[in-house]
């Protein structure tokens, strides 16, 4: 409130000072009026103007929520304020002049301009004053609304990201525990190794819950732990190749995105092939974009996968949209008769 009052009074001081100086300039250059006459009557005129505008500005502020009124109602209020301010200003100015009477210097032309013709001057200035006041409030209200909307969008974005992450971890844990369960009776030593791998993955996963992006290097570490866990299950049926441009290791990516896509490749590709298959992970720079591709043995046959709407695929698309808007793209397709390709393109942050 203090800041608003301060801005208001600074605006009053600046506006009336400009009016005072401009009026003096024109009267000296065009009318050559006497300095004492011009100054005294002009000060009275300005004091009356400040009193009138401040009075009706105070009354307006007592009308709670007027900024949210319809345009028609605000227009009516505006016209009433201009008329009332003008009348109050005009008669207040004349009363001051009459009250001071003989103590004021006489100076024909300027006296006639401010007193006898002052109604037109006060009307024009009242109109301009209230136009500026209403426009100022409109701009300030619009700016505040934009800031509030951006804060709301940021909050919604954060909540959506947290919701997606909360969905991702249980989904991943469920699949990992199934892998470990298959090893418990068959090979306890390997089961213990798998539990260690899972522990590493969960530790990394929990560490990134509070961030929106992580470096590709950190994401690759999680993927390697996951693939090491899955390799215990698939043994020689799972082959993994990497083609990572070192310049991309420090680039930022959505957390768990790469792991989700690799998990999708294992679940819907390799695990359905009797002879297993391979996963190829590549990260490249293409101009001002970062491209990540995951290729795996298999074919997209399920309707939701063909449309790119499986859980993991949809979460990937949502996170990319939340973080990069339409500047990022994601698609998955059958590259050929034996290979599926998932491709993510992100702008460089």
């Amino acid at each position: 409130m203090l800041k608003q009052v301060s801005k208001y009074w600074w605006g009053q001081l600046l506006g009336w000072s400009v009016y005072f100086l401009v009026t003096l300039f024109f009267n000296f250059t065009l009318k050559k009026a006497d300095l004492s006459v011009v100054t005294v009557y002009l000060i009275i005129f300005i004091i009356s103007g400040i009193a009138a505008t401040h009075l009706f500005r105070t009354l307006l502020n007592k009308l709670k929520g007027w900024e949210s009124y319809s345009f028609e109602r605000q227009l009516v209020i505006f016209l009433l304020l201009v008329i009332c301010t003008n009348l109050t200003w005009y008669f207040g100015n004349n009363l001051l002049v009459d009250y001071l009477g003989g103590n004021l210097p006489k100076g024909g032309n300027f006296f006639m301009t401010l007193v006898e013709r002052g109604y037109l001057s006060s009307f024009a200035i009242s109109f301009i004053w209230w136009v500026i006041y209403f426009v100022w409030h409109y701009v300030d209200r619009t700016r505040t609304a934009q800031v509030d909307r951006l804060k709301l969008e940021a909050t919604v974005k954060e909540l959506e990201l947290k919701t997606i992450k909360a969905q991702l971890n249980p989904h991943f844990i469920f699949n990992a525990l199934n892998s470990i369960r298959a090893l418990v009776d068959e090979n306890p030593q390997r089961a213990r190794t798998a539990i260690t791998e899972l522990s590493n993955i969960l530790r990394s996963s929990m560490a990134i819950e509070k961030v929106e992006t992580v470096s590709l290097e950190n994401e690759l570490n999680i993927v390697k732990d996951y693939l090491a866990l899955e390799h215990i299950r698939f043994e020689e049926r799972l082959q993994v190749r990497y083609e990572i441009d070192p310049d991309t290791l420090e680039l930022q990516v959505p957390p768990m995105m790469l792991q989700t896509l690799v998990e999708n490749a294992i679940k819907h590709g390799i695990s359905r092939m009797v002879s297993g298959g391979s996963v190829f992970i590549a990260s490249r720079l293409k101009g001002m974009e970062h491209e990540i591709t995951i290729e795996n043995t298999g074919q997209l046959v399920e309707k939701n996968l063909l449309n790119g709407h499986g859980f993991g695929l949809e979460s990937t698309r949502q996170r990319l949209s939340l973080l990069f808007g339409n500047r990022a793209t994601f698609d998955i397709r059958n590259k050929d008769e034996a290979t599926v390709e998932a491709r993510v393109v992100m702008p460089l942050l």
Side-chain angles (χ1 to χ4, degrees):
M1 184 64 184
L2 291 177
K3 291 184 177 179
Q4 292 178 349
V5 172
S6 177
K7 288 180 181 178
Y8 165 73
W9 283 112
W10 275 111
Q12 287 275 58
L13 177 63
L14 178 62
W16 290 113
S17 297
V18 170
Y19 174 75
F20 179 80
L21 294 174
V22 170
T23 304
L24 282 181
F25 173 78
F26 278 105
N27 276 275
F28 279 125
T29 56
L30 300 178
K31 300 181 179 181
K32 298 181 181 179
D34 180 77
L35 176 62
S36 60
V37 175
V38 172
T39 303
V40 171
Y41 282 102
L42 186 56
I43 289 175
I44 293 175
F45 189 71
I46 289 176
I47 290 175
S48 302
I50 293 175
T53 53
H54 184 67
L55 170 64
F56 287 99
R57 182 250 188 187
T58 303
L59 294 176
L60 177 64
N61 286 341
K62 291 183 180 298
L63 190 62
K64 300 296 184 181
W66 65 267
E67 301 97 333
S68 60
Y69 287 178
S70 65
F71 174 78
E72 291 78 9
R73 292 187 67 182
Q74 288 199 37
L75 181 60
V76 171
I77 293 173
F78 170 79
L79 294 175
L80 287 174
L81 287 169
V82 171
I83 294 171
C84 293
T85 302
N86 178 39
L87 291 173
T88 303
W89 185 356
Y90 175 70
F91 288 111
N93 180 72
N94 287 352
L95 286 173
L96 279 175
V97 170
D98 292 339
Y99 177 76
L100 296 174
N103 296 323
L104 296 175
K106 299 296 187 288
N109 291 338
F110 196 75
F111 179 83
M112 289 294 293
T113 299
L114 288 180
V115 179
E116 296 180 7
R117 300 178 185 176
Y119 186 82
L120 293 178
S121 297
S122 59
F123 180 84
I125 298 172
S126 296
F127 185 87
I128 295 172
W129 196 96
W130 283 111
V131 165
I132 294 173
Y133 190 80
F134 272 70
V135 169
W136 170 269
H137 272 270
Y138 174 77
V139 172
D140 186 62
R141 187 170 67 254
T142 302
R143 183 173 62 249
T144 302
Q146 289 176 341
V147 171
D148 291 341
R149 185 172 66 254
L150 290 174
K151 288 181 179 179
L152 178 61
E153 290 176 354
T155 301
V156 171
K157 174 181 171 182
E158 182 181 356
L159 290 174
E160 288 179 347
L161 284 171
K162 287 182 178 179
T163 300
I164 294 170
K165 289 177 184 178
Q167 292 173 326
L168 285 174
N169 285 336
H171 184 256
F172 162 71
I173 294 171
F174 176 77
N175 289 331
L177 289 176
N178 277 342
S179 299
I180 295 172
R181 183 180 62 181
L183 297 174
V184 170
D185 295 328
E186 179 183 340
N187 194 324
Q189 179 59 41
R190 287 192 177 183
R192 285 193 290 271
T193 302
I195 292 172
T196 301
E197 298 290 349
L198 177 59
S199 175
N200 291 337
I201 296 170
L202 292 179
R203 186 182 301 111
S204 299
S205 176
M206 287 186 291
I208 62 174
E209 281 294 317
K210 297 182 180 180
V211 298
E212 292 186 355
T213 60
V214 295
S215 68
L216 177 64
E217 185 175 15
N218 288 341
E219 185 74 359
L220 277 172
N221 289 336
I222 296 177
V223 169
K224 289 176 181 178
D225 284 336
Y226 170 76
L227 288 173
L229 175 62
E230 292 292 67
H231 195 272
I232 295 175
R233 173 184 165 196
F234 288 99
E235 296 182 337
E236 299 304 320
R237 295 174 56 223
L238 174 61
Q239 302 297 320
V240 181
R241 293 189 301 117
Y242 298 93
E243 186 180 297
I244 308 297
D245 184 340
D247 291 335
T248 66
L249 289 175
E250 295 303 318
L251 296 181
Q252 299 294 300
V253 298
M256 303 298 290
M257 180 193 72
L258 184 57
Q259 189 274 334
T260 300
L261 294 177
V262 172
E263 180 184 343
N264 187 76
I266 298 293
K267 179 180 178 181
H268 298 286
I270 308 302
S271 64
R272 298 185 178 185
M273 309 295 292
V274 176
S275 58
S278 63
V279 175
F280 173 61
I281 302 172
S283 174
R284 312 178 184 90
L285 284 175
K286 286 196 172 182
M288 295 301 294
E289 294 180 325
H290 179 199
E291 180 187 75
I292 296 176
T293 57
I294 298 96
E295 297 179 9
N296 64 273
T297 304
Q299 286 286 279
L300 294 175
V301 292
E302 296 180 13
K303 184 177 180 180
N304 62 333
L305 294 178
L306 283 168
N307 296 329
H309 295 303
F311 172 80
L313 305 182
E314 188 62 28
S315 67
T316 297
R317 184 172 287 106
Q318 288 175 347
R319 280 181 291 164
L320 288 171
S321 176
L322 286 168
L323 292 172
F324 304 109
N326 57 8
R327 297 180 299 151
T329 59
F330 168 66
D331 61 84
I332 185 168
R333 64 189 180 92
N334 289 322
K335 183 178 181 181
D336 52 43
E337 295 182 353
T339 308
V340 175
E341 179 189 66
R343 179 174 174 267
V344 176
V345 179
M346 297 166 288
L348 296 181
L349 291 178

